Amino acid sequence: MAANVDERESPLLELDDVLGLRLNAQWVLLSACNTAAGEQGGGAMSGLVRGFFFAGARSVLATHWAVESESAAALSTATLKAQANGAMSRSDSLRQAQVAMIDGQVGGGKWTHPFYWAPYALFGDPAR
């Protein structure tokens, strides 16, 4: 969601909104539904993900399908906590959080199905 002064404008974050940003961001997290979807007949990475790279992001974590809110927050938190000390790469921290969901360490076993942990894709990992 993008903040808008004009209430008649759409609150959805669109590519034009992103291209106007100047970021110095290590991570951008797009945990809404299907934020990594490519254009029909195009590449596997959405214009929104590409836009964040143009705006200055070094990594973008996005989703390939609809996500459930509580599990999305838990996976995002576990991923960023795993990477916080800088000892592992961003891709390894995402993998560790996904495995923790599969093993029931995150979510107590209610998010073991791939629907909850598999839609996440990391684009860009400067440590690799």
Side-chain angles (χ1 to χ4, degrees):
M1 302 293 276
N4 291 323
V5 176
D6 187 350
E7 292 180 9
R8 294 171 291 175
E9 290 184 28
S10 170
L12 295 177
L13 183 64
E14 297 179 359
L15 182 57
D16 287 343
D17 300 316
V18 175
L19 292 175
L21 300 173
R22 293 296 161 247
L23 303 174
N24 183 14
Q26 294 297 321
W27 284 79
V28 169
L29 172 61
L30 302 174
S31 67
C33 297
N34 209 19
T35 55
E39 293 81 21
Q40 188 121 19
M45 180 172 53
S46 76
L48 194 57
V49 171
R50 264 190 304 233
F52 275 104
F53 280 116
F54 289 133
R58 288 167 192 78
S59 295
V60 178
L61 183 60
T63 62
H64 282 292
W65 60 72
V67 295
E68 187 273 327
S69 295
E70 189 179 350
S71 62
L75 183 78
S76 301
T77 300
T79 300
L80 295 174
K81 279 184 180 178
Q83 210 271 323
N85 67 9
M88 70 175 64
S89 68
R90 293 174 189 159
S91 57
D92 287 340
S93 66
L94 173 60
R95 181 186 172 283
Q96 180 177 313
Q98 289 170 317
V99 169
M101 279 189 134
I102 294 166
D103 291 344
Q105 297 166 356
V106 171
K110 62 183 175 181
W111 299 321
T112 59
H113 191 278
F115 171 80
Y116 298 102
W117 53 264
Y120 295 86
L122 178 65
F123 298 90
D125 189 355
R128 290 280 180 181

